[in-house]
């Protein structure tokens, strides 16, 4: 849903090369924060709900069930991630708000995928079953 040109700088800064396991989460936080900042959906560490919903409408206007799912997931996840006590910010590193929000939305969208786009494969069904049995932090 995000234009590749907007992500190019973020990919250069925070992705591309193989990462050691200890760096994956930190780099992921920074990449997502960079991407949300680039789209204007995260401003000064705050998720811009109206802007996020506008991005969703623009990207999914030809598929109302997907639009409705993404909007619902977004509203639920914004409420969930912003109700968590904020992390103590170190002098370096990136805020986890963006990666928590995107992770929440991705899980909710996957678990509630509309039938017309669901891939009824063994891999997708297995992952869905696994996720349904896991506790969700959001």
């Amino acid at each position: 849903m995000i234009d590749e040109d907007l992500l190019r700088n973020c990919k250069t800064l925070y992705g591309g090369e193989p990462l050691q396991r200890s760096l994956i989460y930190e780099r992921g936080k920074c990449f997502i924060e960079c991407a949300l900042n680039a789209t204007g959906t995260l401003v000064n560490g705050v998720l811009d709900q109206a802007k996020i919903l506008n991005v969703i409408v623009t990207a999914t206007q030809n598929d109302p069930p997907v639009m409705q799912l993404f909007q619902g997931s977004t509203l639920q996840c914004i409420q969930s991630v912003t109700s968590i006590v904020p992390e103590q910010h170190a002098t370096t590193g990136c805020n986890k708000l963006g990666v928590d929000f995107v992770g929440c939305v991705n899980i909710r969208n996957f678990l509630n995928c509309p039938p017309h786009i669901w891939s009824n494969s063994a891999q997708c069904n297995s992952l869905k079953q696994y996720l349904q049995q896991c506790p969700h932090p959001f």
Side-chain angles (χ1 to χ4, degrees):
M1 291 178 36
I2 299 175
D3 182 64
E4 284 294 317
D5 288 338
L6 289 175
L7 296 180
R8 194 170 328 280
N9 183 50
C10 298
K11 286 180 180 180
T12 300
L13 292 172
Y14 303 111
E17 78 280 356
L19 296 176
Q20 297 173 0
R21 187 160 182 77
S22 61
L23 295 177
I24 291 172
Y25 184 69
E26 186 60 35
R27 296 289 296 268
K29 286 192 310 183
C30 293
F31 174 77
I32 296 296
E33 184 176 56
C34 178
L36 294 176
N37 284 331
T39 62
T41 55
L42 182 70
V43 179
N44 297 321
V46 177
L47 292 166
D48 185 333
Q49 179 177 307
K51 179 74 173 185
I52 295 168
L53 293 174
N54 185 53
V55 169
I56 291 168
V57 168
T58 301
T60 63
Q61 60 190 338
N62 294 327
D63 195 338
V66 170
M67 181 189 303
Q68 185 176 22
L69 170 64
F70 284 18
Q71 288 173 328
S73 295
T74 294
L75 295 173
Q76 290 172 343
C77 291
I78 286 175
Q79 182 177 357
S80 293
V81 301
T82 57
S83 68
I84 298 169
V85 177
E87 67 180 15
Q88 297 298 319
H89 296 292
T91 55
T92 61
C94 298
N95 188 322
K96 70 183 198 99
L97 176 66
V99 77
D100 286 352
F101 169 70
V102 170
C104 176
V105 169
N106 286 341
I107 289 171
R108 288 182 187 269
N109 288 344
F110 180 80
L111 290 175
N112 298 292
C113 183
H116 73 282
I117 58 172
W118 175 253
S119 175
N120 195 24
S121 67
Q123 287 178 317
C124 289
N125 290 323
S126 177
L127 178 58
K128 185 174 185 175
Q129 182 180 11
Y130 176 78
L131 288 173
Q132 288 171 326
Q133 294 172 3
C134 292
H136 297 286
F138 313 110

